[in-house]
Short mmCIF file of all heavy atoms in Angstrom, two decimals:
data_model
loop_
_atom_site.label_atom_id
_atom_site.label_comp_id
_atom_site.label_asym_id
_atom_site.label_seq_id
_atom_site.Cartn_x
_atom_site.Cartn_y
_atom_site.Cartn_z
N ALA E 1 -2.82 -35.29 4.53
CA ALA E 1 -1.54 -34.70 4.16
C ALA E 1 -1.77 -33.63 3.12
O ALA E 1 -1.10 -32.61 3.07
CB ALA E 1 -0.63 -35.80 3.58
N ALA E 2 -2.67 -33.83 2.16
CA ALA E 2 -3.01 -32.85 1.10
C ALA E 2 -3.48 -31.64 1.76
O ALA E 2 -3.18 -30.48 1.38
CB ALA E 2 -4.00 -33.42 0.14
N ALA E 3 -4.39 -31.74 2.78
CA ALA E 3 -4.95 -30.58 3.45
C ALA E 3 -3.85 -29.72 4.12
O ALA E 3 -3.79 -28.58 4.13
CB ALA E 3 -6.05 -31.01 4.43
N ARG E 4 -2.91 -30.56 4.86
CA ARG E 4 -1.82 -29.87 5.48
C ARG E 4 -0.91 -29.13 4.52
O ARG E 4 -0.49 -28.01 4.73
CB ARG E 4 -1.02 -30.89 6.33
CG ARG E 4 -1.73 -31.33 7.59
CD ARG E 4 -0.67 -31.95 8.56
NE ARG E 4 -0.01 -33.18 7.93
CZ ARG E 4 -0.55 -34.37 8.06
NH1 ARG E 4 -1.70 -34.58 8.70
NH2 ARG E 4 0.04 -35.46 7.51
N SER E 5 -0.68 -29.81 3.37
CA SER E 5 0.15 -29.16 2.31
C SER E 5 -0.54 -27.93 1.78
O SER E 5 0.17 -26.92 1.53
CB SER E 5 0.39 -30.18 1.19
OG SER E 5 1.04 -29.58 0.11
N ALA E 6 -1.84 -27.94 1.57
CA ALA E 6 -2.49 -26.71 1.03
C ALA E 6 -2.40 -25.62 2.05
O ALA E 6 -2.27 -24.46 1.74
CB ALA E 6 -3.98 -27.08 0.79
N ARG E 7 -2.56 -25.96 3.35
CA ARG E 7 -2.51 -24.87 4.38
C ARG E 7 -1.08 -24.36 4.38
O ARG E 7 -0.86 -23.09 4.62
CB ARG E 7 -2.86 -25.44 5.78
CG ARG E 7 -4.38 -25.62 5.94
CD ARG E 7 -4.74 -25.86 7.40
NE ARG E 7 -4.15 -27.04 7.94
CZ ARG E 7 -4.76 -28.24 7.94
NH1 ARG E 7 -5.93 -28.38 7.45
NH2 ARG E 7 -4.16 -29.28 8.55
N SER E 8 -0.06 -25.21 4.24
CA SER E 8 1.33 -24.65 4.34
C SER E 8 1.68 -23.81 3.11
O SER E 8 2.59 -23.02 3.17
CB SER E 8 2.28 -25.87 4.36
OG SER E 8 2.27 -26.57 3.14
N ASP E 9 0.86 -23.89 2.01
CA ASP E 9 1.17 -23.04 0.89
C ASP E 9 0.60 -21.61 1.06
O ASP E 9 0.92 -20.75 0.26
CB ASP E 9 0.54 -23.69 -0.43
CG ASP E 9 1.34 -24.91 -0.79
OD1 ASP E 9 2.49 -25.08 -0.38
OD2 ASP E 9 0.72 -25.71 -1.55
N ARG E 10 -0.27 -21.43 2.01
CA ARG E 10 -0.82 -20.11 2.21
C ARG E 10 0.20 -19.20 2.80
O ARG E 10 1.03 -19.61 3.62
CB ARG E 10 -2.07 -20.19 3.11
CG ARG E 10 -3.17 -21.01 2.54
CD ARG E 10 -4.28 -21.21 3.59
NE ARG E 10 -5.35 -22.04 3.10
CZ ARG E 10 -6.31 -22.53 3.89
NH1 ARG E 10 -6.33 -22.25 5.18
NH2 ARG E 10 -7.27 -23.34 3.37
N PRO E 11 0.11 -17.83 2.59
CA PRO E 11 1.03 -16.89 3.20
C PRO E 11 0.88 -17.03 4.72
O PRO E 11 -0.25 -17.10 5.27
CB PRO E 11 0.55 -15.51 2.73
CG PRO E 11 -0.28 -15.85 1.46
CD PRO E 11 -0.87 -17.18 1.66
N SER E 12 2.00 -17.01 5.43
CA SER E 12 2.00 -17.06 6.83
C SER E 12 1.53 -15.81 7.43
O SER E 12 1.70 -14.69 6.90
CB SER E 12 3.41 -17.32 7.40
OG SER E 12 4.33 -16.35 6.98
N ARG E 13 0.86 -15.86 8.62
CA ARG E 13 0.42 -14.72 9.33
C ARG E 13 1.31 -14.36 10.49
O ARG E 13 1.92 -15.26 11.10
CB ARG E 13 -0.98 -15.00 9.87
CG ARG E 13 -2.03 -15.12 8.81
CD ARG E 13 -3.41 -15.19 9.37
NE ARG E 13 -4.46 -15.21 8.38
CZ ARG E 13 -5.76 -15.15 8.62
NH1 ARG E 13 -6.21 -15.05 9.85
NH2 ARG E 13 -6.62 -15.19 7.65
N PRO E 14 1.45 -13.12 10.81
CA PRO E 14 2.30 -12.71 11.97
C PRO E 14 1.63 -13.22 13.22
O PRO E 14 0.49 -13.55 13.26
CB PRO E 14 2.38 -11.24 11.85
CG PRO E 14 1.18 -10.86 11.14
CD PRO E 14 0.84 -11.93 10.17
N GLU E 15 2.34 -13.16 14.32
CA GLU E 15 1.79 -13.48 15.64
C GLU E 15 0.64 -12.60 15.96
O GLU E 15 0.68 -11.38 15.66
CB GLU E 15 2.94 -13.38 16.70
CG GLU E 15 4.08 -14.42 16.53
CD GLU E 15 5.04 -14.26 17.66
OE1 GLU E 15 4.77 -13.47 18.58
OE2 GLU E 15 6.07 -14.92 17.59
N GLY E 16 -0.38 -13.13 16.48
CA GLY E 16 -1.62 -12.42 16.78
C GLY E 16 -2.74 -12.72 15.81
O GLY E 16 -3.88 -12.35 16.02
N GLY E 17 -2.46 -13.42 14.71
CA GLY E 17 -3.44 -13.95 13.82
C GLY E 17 -3.92 -13.01 12.78
O GLY E 17 -4.75 -13.32 11.95
N ARG E 18 -3.36 -11.75 12.70
CA ARG E 18 -3.81 -10.86 11.69
C ARG E 18 -2.97 -10.95 10.43
O ARG E 18 -1.74 -11.16 10.50
CB ARG E 18 -3.74 -9.38 12.19
CG ARG E 18 -4.70 -9.18 13.32
CD ARG E 18 -4.64 -7.68 13.82
NE ARG E 18 -5.56 -7.41 14.77
CZ ARG E 18 -5.73 -6.26 15.48
NH1 ARG E 18 -5.00 -5.18 14.98
NH2 ARG E 18 -6.59 -6.06 16.35
N PRO E 19 -3.54 -10.83 9.27
CA PRO E 19 -2.76 -10.80 7.99
C PRO E 19 -1.84 -9.62 7.98
O PRO E 19 -2.07 -8.59 8.56
CB PRO E 19 -3.77 -10.80 6.91
CG PRO E 19 -5.01 -10.14 7.49
CD PRO E 19 -4.96 -10.62 8.99
N PRO E 20 -0.66 -9.69 7.28
CA PRO E 20 0.26 -8.56 7.21
C PRO E 20 -0.42 -7.34 6.55
O PRO E 20 -1.13 -7.55 5.58
CB PRO E 20 1.43 -9.12 6.39
CG PRO E 20 0.87 -10.30 5.67
CD PRO E 20 -0.20 -10.88 6.49
N ALA E 21 -0.13 -6.21 6.99
CA ALA E 21 -0.71 -5.01 6.44
C ALA E 21 -0.11 -4.76 5.02
O ALA E 21 1.09 -4.97 4.88
CB ALA E 21 -0.45 -3.81 7.35
N HIS E 22 -0.92 -4.21 4.12
CA HIS E 22 -0.40 -3.84 2.82
C HIS E 22 0.38 -2.55 3.00
O HIS E 22 0.04 -1.61 3.70
CB HIS E 22 -1.49 -3.64 1.87
CG HIS E 22 -2.27 -4.87 1.55
ND1 HIS E 22 -1.76 -5.85 0.80
CD2 HIS E 22 -3.51 -5.29 1.92
CE1 HIS E 22 -2.63 -6.86 0.68
NE2 HIS E 22 -3.72 -6.56 1.34
N PRO E 23 1.51 -2.42 2.30
CA PRO E 23 2.27 -1.22 2.40
C PRO E 23 1.49 -0.03 1.75
O PRO E 23 0.64 -0.19 0.89
CB PRO E 23 3.48 -1.46 1.55
CG PRO E 23 3.11 -2.57 0.58
CD PRO E 23 2.10 -3.39 1.29
N ALA E 24 1.73 1.17 2.30
CA ALA E 24 1.09 2.36 1.82
C ALA E 24 1.31 2.56 0.34
O ALA E 24 2.45 2.35 -0.12
CB ALA E 24 1.52 3.58 2.61
N ALA E 25 0.34 2.91 -0.43
CA ALA E 25 0.51 3.15 -1.88
C ALA E 25 1.38 4.34 -2.09
O ALA E 25 1.19 5.44 -1.45
CB ALA E 25 -0.85 3.38 -2.48
N PRO E 26 2.43 4.30 -2.93
CA PRO E 26 3.30 5.40 -3.18
C PRO E 26 2.55 6.47 -4.02
O PRO E 26 1.53 6.18 -4.62
CB PRO E 26 4.40 4.82 -3.96
CG PRO E 26 3.81 3.62 -4.68
CD PRO E 26 2.71 3.10 -3.70
N ALA E 27 3.10 7.63 -4.01
CA ALA E 27 2.59 8.71 -4.80
C ALA E 27 2.62 8.31 -6.25
O ALA E 27 3.51 7.61 -6.62
CB ALA E 27 3.27 10.02 -4.58
N GLY E 28 1.59 8.67 -7.01
CA GLY E 28 1.60 8.28 -8.37
C GLY E 28 2.79 8.78 -9.20
O GLY E 28 3.25 9.89 -9.01
N ARG E 29 3.30 7.96 -10.09
CA ARG E 29 4.44 8.30 -10.89
C ARG E 29 4.07 9.35 -11.84
O ARG E 29 4.90 10.17 -12.30
CB ARG E 29 5.03 7.04 -11.56
CG ARG E 29 5.63 6.11 -10.58
CD ARG E 29 6.24 4.86 -11.27
NE ARG E 29 7.38 5.34 -12.11
CZ ARG E 29 8.00 4.57 -12.93
NH1 ARG E 29 7.69 3.29 -13.08
NH2 ARG E 29 9.00 5.01 -13.65
N GLY E 30 2.79 9.37 -12.26
CA GLY E 30 2.38 10.37 -13.30
C GLY E 30 1.75 11.59 -12.71
O GLY E 30 0.80 12.11 -13.33
N GLU E 31 2.34 12.12 -11.67
CA GLU E 31 1.77 13.30 -11.01
C GLU E 31 2.89 14.03 -10.25
O GLU E 31 3.89 13.45 -9.87
CB GLU E 31 0.62 13.06 -10.09
CG GLU E 31 0.93 12.09 -8.95
CD GLU E 31 -0.23 11.81 -8.07
OE1 GLU E 31 -1.36 11.95 -8.56
OE2 GLU E 31 -0.08 11.47 -6.95
N VAL E 32 2.71 15.33 -10.00
CA VAL E 32 3.55 16.05 -9.15
C VAL E 32 2.74 16.68 -8.04
O VAL E 32 1.45 16.80 -8.15
CB VAL E 32 4.34 17.16 -9.81
CG1 VAL E 32 5.31 16.64 -10.84
CG2 VAL E 32 3.39 18.18 -10.54
N ARG E 33 3.38 16.93 -6.91
CA ARG E 33 2.61 17.47 -5.67
C ARG E 33 3.17 18.80 -5.35
O ARG E 33 4.44 19.03 -5.22
CB ARG E 33 2.79 16.51 -4.56
CG ARG E 33 2.15 16.85 -3.25
CD ARG E 33 2.27 15.80 -2.23
NE ARG E 33 3.68 15.54 -1.94
CZ ARG E 33 4.38 16.10 -1.02
NH1 ARG E 33 3.86 16.99 -0.19
NH2 ARG E 33 5.65 15.72 -0.78
N ILE E 34 2.32 19.87 -5.19
CA ILE E 34 2.73 21.14 -4.70
C ILE E 34 3.02 21.00 -3.27
O ILE E 34 2.28 20.48 -2.44
CB ILE E 34 1.59 22.19 -5.05
CG1 ILE E 34 1.36 22.32 -6.51
CG2 ILE E 34 2.03 23.54 -4.40
CD1 ILE E 34 0.18 23.31 -6.90
N ILE E 35 4.22 21.50 -2.90
CA ILE E 35 4.66 21.29 -1.49
C ILE E 35 4.48 22.48 -0.51
O ILE E 35 4.71 22.35 0.65
CB ILE E 35 6.11 20.84 -1.48
CG1 ILE E 35 7.00 21.86 -2.12
CG2 ILE E 35 6.20 19.48 -2.19
CD1 ILE E 35 8.49 21.46 -2.03
N GLY E 36 4.09 23.60 -1.02
CA GLY E 36 4.01 24.79 -0.14
C GLY E 36 2.97 25.78 -0.67
O GLY E 36 2.53 25.76 -1.82
N GLY E 37 2.53 26.75 0.26
CA GLY E 37 1.67 27.84 -0.22
C GLY E 37 0.23 27.45 -0.21
O GLY E 37 -0.16 26.54 0.40
N GLN E 38 -0.66 28.23 -0.92
CA GLN E 38 -2.07 28.11 -0.85
C GLN E 38 -2.59 26.81 -1.38
O GLN E 38 -3.73 26.31 -1.04
CB GLN E 38 -2.79 29.25 -1.50
CG GLN E 38 -2.50 29.38 -3.03
CD GLN E 38 -3.27 30.48 -3.66
OE1 GLN E 38 -4.51 30.69 -3.41
NE2 GLN E 38 -2.63 31.28 -4.48
N TRP E 39 -1.83 26.17 -2.26
CA TRP E 39 -2.28 24.87 -2.86
C TRP E 39 -1.42 23.72 -2.36
O TRP E 39 -1.27 22.67 -3.05
CB TRP E 39 -2.21 24.99 -4.38
CG TRP E 39 -3.10 26.05 -5.00
CD1 TRP E 39 -4.36 26.33 -4.61
CD2 TRP E 39 -2.69 27.03 -5.98
NE1 TRP E 39 -4.81 27.41 -5.38
CE2 TRP E 39 -3.77 27.85 -6.18
CE3 TRP E 39 -1.52 27.20 -6.69
CZ2 TRP E 39 -3.77 28.87 -7.09
CZ3 TRP E 39 -1.54 28.22 -7.62
CH2 TRP E 39 -2.62 29.11 -7.80
N LYS E 40 -0.88 23.81 -1.20
CA LYS E 40 -0.07 22.80 -0.61
C LYS E 40 -0.79 21.49 -0.67
O LYS E 40 -2.01 21.37 -0.33
CB LYS E 40 0.34 23.15 0.84
CG LYS E 40 1.26 22.18 1.50
CD LYS E 40 1.64 22.71 2.85
CE LYS E 40 2.64 21.70 3.61
NZ LYS E 40 2.99 22.20 4.94
N ARG E 41 -0.02 20.42 -1.07
CA ARG E 41 -0.55 19.02 -1.16
C ARG E 41 -1.43 18.76 -2.42
O ARG E 41 -1.93 17.66 -2.59
CB ARG E 41 -1.19 18.59 0.09
CG ARG E 41 -0.36 18.57 1.40
CD ARG E 41 -1.06 17.96 2.54
NE ARG E 41 -0.25 18.01 3.78
CZ ARG E 41 -0.29 19.00 4.56
NH1 ARG E 41 -1.17 19.98 4.41
NH2 ARG E 41 0.50 19.02 5.68
N SER E 42 -1.69 19.78 -3.18
CA SER E 42 -2.46 19.54 -4.40
C SER E 42 -1.59 18.74 -5.36
O SER E 42 -0.40 18.92 -5.54
CB SER E 42 -2.85 20.91 -5.08
OG SER E 42 -3.70 21.57 -4.29
N ARG E 43 -2.26 17.78 -6.03
CA ARG E 43 -1.57 16.83 -6.93
C ARG E 43 -1.95 17.26 -8.37
O ARG E 43 -3.08 17.46 -8.69
CB ARG E 43 -1.92 15.43 -6.65
CG ARG E 43 -1.34 15.00 -5.28
CD ARG E 43 -1.66 13.48 -5.01
NE ARG E 43 -1.17 13.11 -3.74
CZ ARG E 43 0.05 12.67 -3.48
NH1 ARG E 43 0.90 12.47 -4.48
NH2 ARG E 43 0.41 12.33 -2.33
N LEU E 44 -0.96 17.31 -9.26
CA LEU E 44 -1.12 17.71 -10.65
C LEU E 44 -0.78 16.50 -11.52
O LEU E 44 0.47 16.09 -11.62
CB LEU E 44 -0.19 18.85 -10.96
CG LEU E 44 -0.23 20.06 -10.10
CD1 LEU E 44 0.72 21.14 -10.56
CD2 LEU E 44 -1.63 20.67 -10.04
N PRO E 45 -1.78 15.82 -12.10
CA PRO E 45 -1.49 14.75 -13.00
C PRO E 45 -0.61 15.19 -14.25
O PRO E 45 -0.77 16.28 -14.69
CB PRO E 45 -2.81 14.24 -13.50
CG PRO E 45 -3.77 14.75 -12.44
CD PRO E 45 -3.23 16.05 -11.98
N VAL E 46 0.36 14.32 -14.60
CA VAL E 46 1.23 14.72 -15.68
C VAL E 46 1.13 13.71 -16.84
O VAL E 46 1.25 12.43 -16.56
CB VAL E 46 2.69 14.70 -15.16
CG1 VAL E 46 3.72 15.06 -16.28
CG2 VAL E 46 2.80 15.70 -14.00
N PRO E 47 0.95 14.09 -18.02
CA PRO E 47 0.85 13.13 -19.16
C PRO E 47 2.19 12.45 -19.41
O PRO E 47 3.26 13.08 -19.09
CB PRO E 47 0.46 14.01 -20.35
CG PRO E 47 -0.04 15.31 -19.80
CD PRO E 47 0.63 15.45 -18.50
#
């Protein structure tokens, strides 16, 4: 019973047996991103 209880405390897996994917990391809060031109997608850290 203790073993079953320990297994039930683990995060459930979706069908297919694979663990759930981690969400994509958001853009850093301490930076801005250039959105166009020659430096498009360049990130600028901000203090």
Side-chain angles (χ1 to χ4, degrees):
R4 284 197 299 271
S5 176
R7 286 195 295 269
S8 68
D9 290 339
R10 296 173 185 169
S12 60
R13 292 188 177 187
E15 294 182 6
R18 294 183 179 180
H22 293 290
R29 294 182 64 185
E31 63 183 19
V32 295
R33 178 175 60 92
I34 298 175
I35 59 176
Q38 63 175 315
W39 301 314
K40 184 177 181 180
R41 299 189 183 91
S42 295
R43 294 181 181 271
L44 309 178
V46 179

